[in-house]
Amino acid sequence: MKQRCRNLIFILGDQLSHSVSSLEGADPDQDMILMCEVQEETTYVRHHCKKIILILSAMRHFAEDLRGKGFDVRYTELDDAANAGSFTEELKRAVKEIKPEKVIVTEPGEFRVLQAMSGWEKSLNIPVDIRTDSRFLCSKDEFGAWVEGRRELRMEFFYRDMRRKTGLLMEGDKPIGGRWNFDAENRKPAKPDLFRASHPQFTPDKTTRDVMKLVD
């Protein structure tokens, strides 16, 4: 473990990207990564066991990628005896032991988790930098500005404005093909003889097999 930790960078299970905003400016020589598998996130609603396996296996593989880049990764597995069971409690435990100068995290996709994050700075008594998730085409602030003054919120209208903003599937200010969507056709059932590519399959490696046993 480092003698001094500048930033403790908390990476969540749906933020497994080397370009995630929490890793911007990260320095393996000064910063430490925190990742944790917690019971609260696997049980707050019912999840299919394969989804849990996919997420936990991906987290463990990403942690190894980060270690390969020279980062010190503090990783708590689901069945660790000391696992505190939630993001907040695991972060508190890590901060108490590591004593970082600051916590950095990318804002979560779930409001439930964001509410918990909003209280971290006060409860931890250290700065907590909650960064915008740059993986989205539209920020929360931009969406808030779009919503303001509208009497009706309809996905179709937002979708069209985002198409105009990005130019995706557009010819000037018009949708390619002259139509915004093919929803009516897409609601029809697929024909039994419809040609489909087979789904790719992968043999689980040891990390995934370990997770499969844990989840089982």
Side-chain angles (χ1 to χ4, degrees), residues 182-193:
F182 294 85
D183 288 352
E185 292 89 337
N186 290 339
R187 291 190 182 99
K188 297 176 181 178
K191 296 178 180 179
D193 61 348

Side-chain angles (χ1 to χ4, degrees), residues 98-137:
I98 298 167
K99 295 179 175 56
E101 297 174 12
K102 181 169 69 172
V103 171
I104 297 176
V105 65
T106 293
E107 63 182 358
E110 289 191 64
F111 184 67
R112 171 185 60 87
V113 180
L114 180 60
Q115 282 185 305
M117 279 187 186
S118 299
W120 285 354
E121 186 163 286
K122 183 177 180 180
S123 62
L124 296 171
N125 199 32
I126 61 171
V128 177
D129 181 5
I130 303 176
R131 297 181 175 178
T132 298
D133 192 342
S134 57
R135 297 174 299 168
F136 289 89
L137 292 174

Side-chain angles (χ1 to χ4, degrees), residues 158-171:
F158 176 68
Y159 167 74
R160 292 185 186 190
D161 282 348
M162 289 301 293
R163 289 268 296 274
R164 293 188 182 99
K165 170 192 170 182
T166 62
L168 293 171
L169 298 176
M170 297 289 289
E171 291 178 335

Side-chain angles (χ1 to χ4, degrees), residues 76-90:
T76 305
E77 295 187 356
L78 193 63
D79 57 350
D80 283 352
N83 193 321
S86 71
F87 287 152
T88 297
E89 294 307 314
E90 270 299 293

Side-chain angles (χ1 to χ4, degrees), residues 13-78:
D14 60 354
Q15 300 176 348
L16 310 180
S17 168
H18 291 292
S19 61
V20 71
S21 60
S22 56
L23 284 173
E24 291 177 6
D27 182 353
D29 293 329
Q30 302 183 75
D31 305 326
M32 183 180 292
I33 309 295
L34 172 65
M35 299 179 68
C36 52
E37 307 167 2
V38 293
Q39 190 73 10
E40 183 177 73
E41 296 305 307
T42 59
T43 59
Y44 74 94
V45 294
R46 295 188 63 162
H47 297 291
H48 195 290
C49 59
K50 288 186 177 180
K51 178 180 179 180
I52 299 174
I53 290 168
L54 175 65
I55 293 172
L56 301 189
S57 176
M59 288 176 65
R60 295 184 185 192
H61 281 95
F62 189 66
E64 285 305 308
D65 283 349
L66 290 169
R67 291 185 180 109
K69 292 180 178 296
F71 283 101
D72 189 353
V73 180
R74 177 188 170 104
Y75 194 100
T76 305
E77 295 187 356
L78 193 63

